[in-house]
Amino acid sequence: MMPQKLCLICLIGFVLISGCAVKPPLPTQEKPPTALEEQAARMWQAQNYARSLRLYQELLQTQDLDQETQRTAWRRVSRSALELGRFERAVQSLRQWAQVDPKTRENWTWHELYTQALGETEGAQKAREHLHTVAVAPNTVWSVRRPAAERLTTAYWQQGSFARFAAVQSAVHQAASTPEQRKLIESSLLETVQDAPEAQWQNLLDQIGPLGPKRYPHNILQWVWTRRQLAEERIGWAAAWHRLEAVVRGETLALTPVFRETLDALRQEYGTPEQEIGLLVPLSGSYARFGRDIVRGASAAQWQISRHGGKITVHVINTAAENWQHQLNRLPENIQLIGGPLRQSSWKAITQLAPTKRAFFTFLSSLPASTEGRQAWRFFASTADQSRALVKAASALGIDKIAILYPQETFGRRMAASFWEQSRQHNATITGLAHYLPDAPTRWSGTVGDFLRVPDKETSSETTGEGNQTARPEPDFGAVFLPDTLSKAQLMVPNFFYHDEDRLLFLGPRLWSQALARGADLEQRYFRLALTPGAWSPGMQRTGLDALRQELEMSGLPGPNFWSGLGYDFVRFAARFDDPAPGFTADELNSRLHAFSGFSWALAPIQWDREGHARQDLFVFQPVSGGLRPANLDALGRRLERTKKAHAARRQARNDSNSTQPKEQTVSSSEQ
């Protein structure tokens, strides 16, 4: 009996356990397609788009369709509508498709169809705008971004919209997350531009700005354009090597290893790139320190070029020596590019000897109109460059009415004329103009009083310097240009404060920044609202300046300054620009100068127009105790507003004080 009872208990327990166990789910059966769905599919496969469209639209009216069926139906409605030319319907269907399945937008097919439909309904511009949004949006998946970018850049290339072409290339390259993706983009660009016609290339270069080795797609374009010019013998091997090597050294491309191999092969074919140039600077006499600094910067450029595999020989001629013109004439004919001279007298000596047959890039602020761009070229800022920088800075501060107070001598008159012209060109108005005797500082207070239209009795006050301020009309200008040395400006500016005028922006020539860079003392309270231009800004981070600083430091030489930056920039410019061939024409040289780009300047950048006239975009500084500071125009504007408010409050308080005092009684002669 016991065994039977035990078996019975076990059987009951097994049954109970089996009943509590989780049973595996039964396999779901797919819902069989309806007759309507089957009929619509047959029409789609038979490419009967009219019936396919109608049947799928009817199917979409059915209740309780699963997502996959809806997705298929909307896709085929969209395609059928496109095939039938019913583009409005196609746009609506594509949008419905994306609503049913948002992940559809991660599929290039959807965007391709939508772009086509949008182009037919709203025009090609709308279609391109959609592609542009997709190509540059940060959350676009790569499988969509790449074909969208290719379609868009092809459209821009074909219509000649090269600035947009470059912008999209840059955005997509930046969005690529792997070297393989970047390599695909770069290879596609190479294929597009490699065999472009000359006219298309010229239009491209005009639209996208300077080529250069650091920024995509400009570095790829520089590589292709340089190789093309080299193959057609439009530039020499030395200049081509410098440009190509800069692209390889940029290390920003997935194709850099390929380019490096190509450059090595070119070097084996053409040999070591070598150049020779001349440099005319004073190495003795009163200007010797400038000349020595120029040579120091030139040497730093030579070391840099040599370290990267090139060679450039600089023939330095001391223009303070007695026989320097003879040394210049004895330079070999292949040396066609000369830097300098530094002084007008030296340039006059060159032109008096014989017609110049070489390309002189002078370190002069001006050249005769008949000479610049024909016999010589400037590698130095002009008076117009100084004036333009100041006028534009004043305009950025909202000041478009300016006065000029200049010394009655040659430099002052020249700078005043230049400033007037730049004001006219940049929509500023000169509302005050006066001069002063530079050697009579005791008379300057009166000059400033007249300049500010101070009443006579106030001008003659020697006690308080205040007088009846309310009687003086407000100046009709917000800034004053003072083209004089800093030492004389420090005597002139306090006269404005003496006459209670502290609201003006004082603009000074490059002479101010040069003096402050040398450590000139400054009574800063008078120059809190002042600006001065300059080509040299050691406080800024720039590739060319950083490289110069590093070269001098490695050689154990003193740190850089404006003059060493000038020598450094010129030698590297000469290496990149390439020697003009003997017998060159001015027009040929001007064309090459106008196209010169992609250069990392240590000084403010220089560019040349089609006539060979140079323009240097100078930096603007605020004078501070102990030197210079790059101008922060926003902060300066706020300081200017605070000064105006304080001035107004001070004058109001003075007026209130005067009005509360008892008036003097006037006694008539009859009462006396």
Side-chain angles (χ1 to χ4, degrees), residues 430-494:
I430 301 301
T431 56
L433 179 67
H435 65 267
Y436 57 91
L437 298 176
D439 297 325
T442 56
R443 299 172 61 181
W444 291 356
S445 178
T447 301
V448 171
D450 293 341
F451 191 61
L452 295 173
R453 294 180 294 175
V454 175
D456 290 342
K457 63 178 180 179
E458 183 181 342
T459 305
S460 62
S461 174
E462 297 292 341
T463 57
T464 65
E466 293 180 358
N468 182 12
Q469 297 294 334
T470 56
R472 174 163 60 86
E474 292 290 315
D476 58 353
F477 46 82
V480 179
F481 178 51
L482 294 170
D484 208 336
T485 64
L486 181 64
S487 59
K488 288 187 177 179
Q490 292 204 79
L491 296 176
M492 176 62 76
V493 171

Side-chain angles (χ1 to χ4, degrees), residues 586-607:
D587 290 338
E588 291 170 350
L589 198 59
N590 291 340
S591 178
R592 289 176 51 200
L593 280 170
H594 182 62
F596 184 79
S597 62
F599 186 68
S600 56
W601 296 89
L603 301 181
I606 303 175
Q607 52 189 316

Side-chain angles (χ1 to χ4, degrees), residues 56 78 106 307 313-314 452:
Y56 273 115
S78 304
E106 296 180 5
R307 196 169 60 256
T313 302
V314 181
L452 295 173

Side-chain angles (χ1 to χ4, degrees), residues 508-566:
R510 187 179 54 194
L511 290 175
W512 292 14
S513 64
Q514 290 174 334
L516 289 164
R518 294 194 299 268
D521 290 332
L522 181 74
E523 195 168 356
Q524 190 172 344
R525 66 189 178 114
Y526 293 121
F527 290 85
R528 294 174 65 254
L529 300 174
L531 294 172
T532 176
W536 172 248
S537 178
M540 293 183 181
Q541 294 298 313
R542 299 193 311 283
T543 303
L545 176 56
D546 292 342
L548 170 59
R549 188 180 290 112
Q550 184 180 1
E551 290 293 338
L552 294 174
E553 187 177 325
M554 287 191 302
S555 304
L557 294 174
N561 58 21
F562 167 78
W563 298 104
S564 60
L566 178 62

